[in-house]
Amino acid sequence: MEYINFKTLSNKKYLVNIISNMLLNGMVSETEVELRWMLTLKEIGSHDYTFELITLDHRMVKADNMGYIEIHKVVSQLQKALNEITFTVDKQGTLLQVKNLEQIKERWEDVKAETIEYNKANTSLVELFKIQDEAFEKVGGVDAMVKAMEFFDIYLNNIYGRDFFGRIKKNIPNLFRSGLIPFALGYDGNKSPDKDNIYNIKVDGYPNIVAENHLKDLYGGFPISDFDALKPISLYNAQYNIDLLSGFIVDGEVNFSEAINDKFGGEVHYKIKQYE
């Protein structure tokens, strides 16, 4: 089994669809978000890669809950500062450095000033920006925000620069973003039988046992009384088609589901594909 590596300096555009189905206190809600990225590989080093990632669009395509629409508007504003990032990762895709750090911080000040000016009456939004300010100001804060972007979890996703023998440990955010669920991920890959220079990769996730105190950290904010009897079920899988000549992903998908009890749970599906 060969290593998957980036081989050519190039840029690709990607369409990313994120479809979520959530069960919240017995009520079902569905949303769909669409992202468009332009990914440019700028440098190939002996031990690292330097990329530029530009978010061309970030819009909500579907929502059956006005609350989600308002949340998305706020999140989109907060993320404008990260719409253009230049960064270096090692050959396995681990973030090493955000190279345009000062540019991002300057853009954040512009985004903050503009948004607060147009939402003076919204005191909660002002408080939210104060909290976000702390993340930008503290050492490593911007790095943490960049690492949390979908790109690292659904694009790089530990598929580069290593053999696929054995499993790796990975903490995956739960659907409600209240904590992390520990998984062991198994990878398998083979050349496509019907497409030249295409490599197929499949990923299967196996959740590790979560201790009771961890369950309380994850779901303590939910109306759950008996944590001893709580047996949440989490599932994870992914698959990709990769161009072996360039190393870029042609298309792929990532699926995650979480069932807490009969009133809370859901699933999220990420689909990514190149477009012209």
Side-chain angles (χ1 to χ4, degrees), residues 210-212 214-220 222-233 258-264:
V210 177
E212 182 183 346
H214 190 176
L215 289 176
K216 289 181 179 178
D217 290 338
L218 281 170
Y219 309 121
F222 294 76
I224 297 173
S225 57
D226 187 2
F227 281 91
D228 288 333
L230 192 65
K231 304 293 181 184
I233 299 173
E258 180 180 13
I260 301 172
N261 57 23
D262 59 353
K263 291 187 176 181
F264 292 94

Side-chain angles (χ1 to χ4, degrees), residues 107-230:
R107 194 180 300 123
W108 166 248
E109 292 300 324
D110 293 339
V111 168
K112 180 176 63 173
E114 177 185 342
T115 306
I116 291 177
E117 176 67 25
Y118 284 102
N119 296 273
K120 289 180 179 179
N122 191 339
T123 55
S124 61
L125 186 60
V126 173
E127 289 301 316
L128 179 60
F129 272 90
K130 286 182 180 179
I131 294 172
Q132 198 75 358
D133 260 338
E134 297 177 3
F136 275 92
E137 291 172 1
K138 70 180 181 182
V139 176
V142 174
D143 287 24
M145 284 186 281
V146 170
K147 286 180 183 177
M149 294 176 68
E150 288 95 346
F151 176 79
F152 287 87
D153 278 332
I154 69 172
Y155 192 100
L156 295 179
N157 201 7
N158 303 106
I159 63 179
Y160 288 93
R162 62 177 186 83
D163 63 47
F164 294 150
F165 180 75
R167 300 177 181 178
I168 67 166
K169 294 180 179 179
K170 184 175 182 178
N171 292 323
I172 297 175
N174 74 328
L175 290 177
F176 303 94
R177 292 300 189 266
S178 58
L180 301 171
I181 298 176
F183 271 84
L185 301 185
Y187 292 73
D188 189 21
N190 293 283
K191 285 188 176 180
S192 173
D194 50 12
K195 294 182 179 179
D196 292 339
N197 301 311
I198 296 296
Y199 201 76
N200 307 132
I201 294 177
K202 291 185 178 181
V203 187
D204 287 301
Y206 308 89
N208 294 325
I209 296 174
V210 177
E212 182 183 346
N213 60 342
H214 190 176
L215 289 176
K216 289 181 179 178
D217 290 338
L218 281 170
Y219 309 121
F222 294 76
I224 297 173
S225 57
D226 187 2
F227 281 91
D228 288 333
L230 192 65

Side-chain angles (χ1 to χ4, degrees), residues 35 53-59 71-86 100-116 118-119 125 129 132 136 142 145-146 149-150:
L35 304 176
L53 178 65
I54 298 176
T55 300
L56 302 171
D57 195 14
H58 184 190
R59 67 191 185 97
I71 291 172
H72 181 262
K73 288 180 180 178
V74 173
V75 171
S76 296
Q77 285 298 115
L78 295 176
Q79 290 183 337
K80 278 186 177 180
L82 299 174
N83 276 359
E84 297 181 21
I85 55 173
T86 303
N100 63 330
L101 191 61
E102 292 307 313
Q103 181 188 29
I104 290 173
K105 289 183 176 180
E106 290 173 7
R107 194 180 300 123
W108 166 248
E109 292 300 324
D110 293 339
V111 168
K112 180 176 63 173
E114 177 185 342
T115 306
I116 291 177
Y118 284 102
N119 296 273
L125 186 60
F129 272 90
Q132 198 75 358
F136 275 92
V142 174
M145 284 186 281
V146 170
M149 294 176 68
E150 288 95 346

Side-chain angles (χ1 to χ4, degrees), residues 87-90 93-98 142-144 146-147 152 156:
F87 56 93
T88 301
V89 297
D90 65 18
T94 302
L95 181 67
L96 298 177
Q97 181 187 15
V98 178
V142 174
D143 287 24
V146 170
K147 286 180 183 177
F152 287 87
L156 295 179

